[in-house]
Amino acid sequence: VHDGSFKEYVKSVIPNYLGNTVILDQNGRIITSLKDENYLYSGEIQELVKNTRGSGTTTSVLDNKSYFVSYVHSDSAGWK
């Protein structure tokens, strides 16, 4: 996934999107994200990734802020 292509695609599909979208590999490493936020590098995000399976939604506190989190795991790519 080319980082610029991903960002442009999300912006074109959801033009006024104020949130963040992140793609992680099977080991929880960041492949790309819309915004480079501090919470992406915290242990909290790694715990969240470990504790999610399949797809769904949850709430989480990251970097002392509450977030609504939607997630989807891609079995074919191994992405989260």
Side-chain angles (χ1 to χ4, degrees):
V1 171
H2 185 269
D3 189 49
S5 298
F6 166 74
K7 290 176 182 178
E8 290 305 314
Y9 174 74
V10 172
K11 288 177 186 177
S12 72
V13 173
I14 313 170
N16 297 318
Y17 183 56
L18 299 176
N20 199 3
T21 299
V22 182
I23 297 177
L24 306 170
D25 69 11
Q26 62 272 19
N27 297 312
R29 292 183 298 242
I30 299 168
I31 295 173
T32 189
S33 66
L34 286 181
K35 300 175 186 174
D36 189 31
E37 301 284 351
N38 288 336
Y39 65 78
L40 296 175
Y41 306 98
S42 70
E44 297 161 327
I45 195 78
Q46 294 302 317
E47 281 300 311
L48 178 64
V49 170
K50 277 194 250 178
N51 293 323
T52 58
R53 300 285 178 258
S55 63
T57 59
T58 189
T59 56
S60 185
V61 176
L62 304 169
D63 203 21
N64 295 315
K65 291 173 70 178
S66 294
Y67 291 90
F68 178 78
V69 180
S70 297
Y71 55 91
V72 176
H73 292 254
S74 169
D75 292 333
S76 60
W79 294 352
K80 302 177 179 184

